Amino acid sequence: IELSSSNHKDVACFEWFAKRNCKINYVTITLPGSNHVLRVNNLQVKNLHITLTSNVTMKNCTHLFKSHLICRVRRISIFEDQNKEVIEHLSILTSNIETLYIYDSDNYKEWLSKDVLSRWKLKEIVLSQIDLNLATITLIVQTCSELTTVFDFLQNYLTG
């Protein structure tokens, strides 16, 4: 089963799955937003995908940071500018990130650091509508040892 938390606004939906010990393959949550999936105990989720919209705050992430599902985050999509503290804290709590999407972020150089990248197990990075330079590509390639793909929508494949 694949679910989007934003499409299921009632916690009862997720409680139903938890009571029946159903295993959910993917759940996507968007922050900020009310994500009832994060408040359900014993919910079995294999992969949690997070979408961060512009300027997510630490307060917006409270339920995520406290959830038992934090260890299930495999993909993060980041839209526009982000709070450096949020990204750093997220990277500390999520060591299994395999895919990172960055869209239209003017401040990505402030939070995309060696420390953040080295905590994740990135296999793929997708970049779109950002001011990409050689220093950033060098940082990514030298830091992400499991990386197989860097994709820039404007330039196509940068590495393969």
Side-chain angles (χ1 to χ4, degrees), residues 17-18 20-25 42-46 68-69:
F17 285 107
R20 286 157 183 79
N21 291 321
C22 294
K23 294 181 175 115
I24 301 172
N25 197 25
N42 303 318
L43 186 63
Q44 296 180 47
V45 174
K46 184 176 179 182
H68 71 284
L69 297 175

Side-chain angles (χ1 to χ4, degrees), residues 10 13-14 21 23 48 53 57 65 70 76 84 103-104 110 115-116 119 135-136 138 144 149 160:
D10 187 358
C13 170
F14 296 106
N21 291 321
K23 294 181 175 115
L48 185 63
T53 59
T57 65
F65 292 156
I70 190 77
I76 299 176
K84 181 179 180 180
Y103 300 100
D104 196 24
E110 295 173 22
D115 289 337
V116 167
R119 292 182 186 119
T136 302
T138 302
C144 304
T149 305

Side-chain angles (χ1 to χ4, degrees), residues 27-31 35 38 47-53 56 61 64-65 69-70 72-79 86 90 94 97 99-101:
V27 172
T28 301
I29 65 167
T30 301
L31 295 172
N35 293 287
L38 299 175
N47 299 287
L48 185 63
H49 298 171
I50 299 172
T51 298
L52 302 176
T53 59
V56 173
C61 297
L64 173 63
F65 292 156
L69 297 175
I70 190 77
R72 300 293 185 188
V73 178
R74 300 290 185 270
R75 182 179 77 195
I76 299 176
S77 298
I78 299 172
F79 289 86
V86 168
L90 192 58
T94 58
I97 304 300
T99 305
L100 175 64
Y101 294 89

Side-chain angles (χ1 to χ4, degrees), residues 53-56 79-83 104-108 111:
T53 59
S54 186
N55 293 310
V56 173
F79 289 86
E80 300 179 355
D81 295 345
Q82 290 303 321
N83 179 321
D104 196 24
S105 177
D106 291 331
N107 79 334
Y108 79 93
W111 51 262

